[in-house]
Amino acid sequence: QAITINKLHSDLKNFKSTLDKTLDSIFIFDPNTFQIEYINRGAHSQLGYTSMEFKRRTILDIQDIKSQEKFSEVIKPLKNLSVDSILYETILITKEGGKVPAELFLQYINTQNKGPRFLAIARDITDRKKAEEIIKLTAYQDPLTKLPNRLAFNEKILDVYNWSKTNKKNFAILLMDLDRFKFINDILGHP
């Protein structure tokens, strides 16, 4: 029995060590009060709070206002046990007030000594969001002039057209043409 208990303690210590080495933030919190009960080192380094500061907060306290409102709706199927896990995007707030876009994985877990709990794993997706913004800008603006391109123009015209129909107002389009613009680019170069 002593060997089994020592093995279990060793396994638990190894598991906790593995969780602490994970770069993602890992939280375990109460499903009713949302009080944070466990955090790994990744959460400390990502958000900057101490263990005591985390334990005085709820999972809602470390999210921005819009995310807090969304969280209550997102978590309902998990609380009702109609789904095993949920993955959604949120904004986490650092100790200094910075905002970290994150992908939050939530899962219901049943602990023997404390009862049902939620496991939350938050992955920083700042780089992904920056890449998405670059792709969006590339899709909607000319890379040379940084002016809106044809796609942006078409969407804007459609918006204005729909607005004019709804509000029964007229609108006009003014077109400008730069003569010999290609010639200037060819002689002097794009810059």
Side-chain angles (χ1 to χ4, degrees):
Q1 202 173 27
I3 292 171
T4 304
I5 290 172
N6 284 341
K7 172 106 172 74
L8 287 173
H9 281 295
S10 176
D11 289 348
L12 185 61
K13 196 174 181 179
N14 289 338
F15 180 68
K16 187 178 179 321
S17 174
T18 302
L19 287 181
D20 280 340
K21 290 176 184 170
T22 303
L23 297 177
D24 294 336
S25 296
I26 299 175
F27 307 93
I28 294 176
F29 63 95
D30 185 287
N32 299 314
T33 65
F34 299 144
Q35 197 69 42
I36 297 172
E37 297 174 354
Y38 169 81
I39 53 281
N40 71 336
R41 284 190 197 144
H44 292 293
S45 62
Q46 191 176 55
L47 301 177
Y49 299 102
T50 64
S51 294
M52 288 307 295
E53 290 170 328
F54 268 123
K55 290 185 179 182
R56 286 194 300 253
R57 285 173 170 70
T58 67
I59 197 76
L60 292 175
D61 295 334
I62 61 169
Q63 297 182 65
D64 74 343
I65 299 295
K66 285 183 182 177
S67 298
Q68 288 177 14
E69 295 165 2
K70 183 179 169 184
F71 186 79
S72 299
E73 285 302 311
V74 166
I75 205 164
K76 279 182 185 176
L78 203 55
K79 284 182 107 172
N80 299 338
L81 300 176
S82 56
V83 296
D84 293 332
S85 61
I86 295 170
L87 183 68
Y88 80 103
E89 289 184 11
T90 187
I91 303 291
L92 299 178
I93 304 297
T94 67
K95 183 177 179 176
E96 293 77 32
K99 294 184 176 187
V100 178
E103 187 174 70
L104 196 64
F105 172 80
L106 292 167
Q107 186 170 23
Y108 173 88
I109 57 173
N110 198 359
T111 60
Q112 287 185 357
N113 56 347
K114 291 188 177 182
R117 292 293 181 259
F118 286 138
L119 168 71
I121 302 173
R123 174 165 288 161
D124 183 342
I125 57 170
T126 303
D127 292 340
R128 186 173 87 191
K129 287 293 180 187
K130 285 179 184 175
E132 287 172 0
E133 190 61 31
I134 290 169
I135 290 168
K136 185 178 175 185
L137 284 175
T138 304
Y140 286 96
Q141 68 178 218
D142 178 72
L144 174 63
T145 63
K146 304 293 184 228
L147 294 171
N149 64 13
R150 184 177 300 181
L151 182 61
F153 176 75
N154 288 340
E155 283 191 14
K156 187 66 175 173
I157 290 295
L158 187 60
D159 289 345
V160 171
Y161 175 75
N162 289 332
W163 174 86
S164 72
K165 280 178 64 176
T166 304
N167 296 299
K168 298 189 185 335
K169 302 273 185 180
N170 293 327
F171 72 96
I173 299 173
L174 174 67
L175 297 175
M176 289 178 28
D177 185 24
L178 298 176
D179 289 336
R180 298 174 14 170
F181 189 65
K182 183 182 179 335
F183 175 75
I184 292 168
N185 275 344
D186 291 343
I187 300 296
L188 300 175
H190 291 296

